Each structure stands twice: as C-alpha cells, then as structure tokens.
Amino acid sequence: MGLLPYADRKQNGHRVYSSEQVQGILFLTRLKATGMTIEEMKRYRELSSRGTDAIPEKMSMLEIHKQKIQNEISRLMEVQKIIEYKLDHYHEIIQDPDFNDTGCTPTLK
C-alpha cells in the first residue's frame, strides 16, 4: 500500500524499525483513528520524507483535517442533544404518562 516506511530485516526475516519510524507509524495510526483516509495519510507520509521544506504543506493538511474533525464533533454534539432530549422525554412518559401529548420538539437546556 505504500503507507508504512521501508524496514530493514533481521536474518530471521523480522522487520526492524527505527524509533523515528515507530513514532511515524504511531502518528499514522492516530490519523487513521481520526478518520483521515489512507490516501491522505500516504500524502502526509510522502511530505514527511521531504523534510522541513514540507512543513508548511503538512501544517495545511493537518489544519484542514482538524477543521473536518471539529465539524464532525459539532455534528455529533447536535445528535447527542437530540438523543438526550428523546431520553428525557421517554423518562417523563414513563414517570407520568400523558398520552394526549404528541409534541416532540426539543427544548434547549
């Protein structure tokens, strides 16, 4: 796939990574956990191999990805509010059933 760095091999065939390579792999793992695509991670790794000259472009990539994550967090917070409302509503119905109440409009807390 070209995502992981090239690794030397021991005589028994096991891969050997430097501490810098391991740190890079851990960072890629974290990026994947945030939803970054494999193609984006490949691009980031490619930029990393170019050294300090690529720092502005890497920063730009991370800023864009950070904004995507922030947008997703905001969206999920809205979904969470709706779920909390529904749970509160169901708790109220269980405690004091009012079968004439058909309203389902969340109120902000």
Side-chain angles (χ1 to χ4, degrees):
M1 220 186 278
L3 190 55
L4 297 179
Y6 172 79
D8 292 327
R9 291 190 182 261
K10 294 182 180 180
Q11 283 185 330
N12 63 7
H14 293 173
R15 291 180 177 91
V16 178
Y17 293 101
S18 70
S19 62
E20 185 176 305
Q21 288 172 316
V22 170
Q23 288 175 352
I25 291 168
L26 291 173
F27 188 68
L28 289 172
T29 302
R30 290 181 181 118
L31 290 178
K32 179 65 178 162
T34 68
M36 187 176 274
T37 67
I38 290 175
E39 289 304 315
E40 289 170 323
M41 290 189 300
K42 281 184 185 179
R43 177 71 180 141
Y44 187 87
R45 184 178 173 286
E46 177 187 311
L47 290 171
S48 294
S49 70
R50 291 186 9 212
T52 57
D53 291 344
I55 288 175
E57 197 170 345
K58 288 185 346 183
M59 287 177 65
S60 177
M61 267 188 85
L62 292 175
E63 288 291 338
I64 290 167
H65 192 62
K66 178 183 170 186
Q67 187 58 51
K68 287 180 188 176
I69 291 170
Q70 187 57 54
N71 291 344
E72 182 65 8
I73 289 170
S74 296
R75 186 189 69 77
L76 289 171
M77 294 295 290
E78 288 301 315
V79 170
Q80 183 179 18
K81 287 178 189 176
I82 292 168
I83 291 171
E84 287 172 355
Y85 164 76
K86 291 302 288 183
L87 287 170
D88 289 346
H89 183 70
Y90 293 145
H91 285 292
E92 288 175 17
I93 290 173
I94 288 171
Q95 290 176 359
D96 187 22
D98 180 2
F99 297 109
N100 294 321
D101 179 15
T102 59
C104 190
T105 305
T107 57
L108 297 177
K109 293 182 178 183

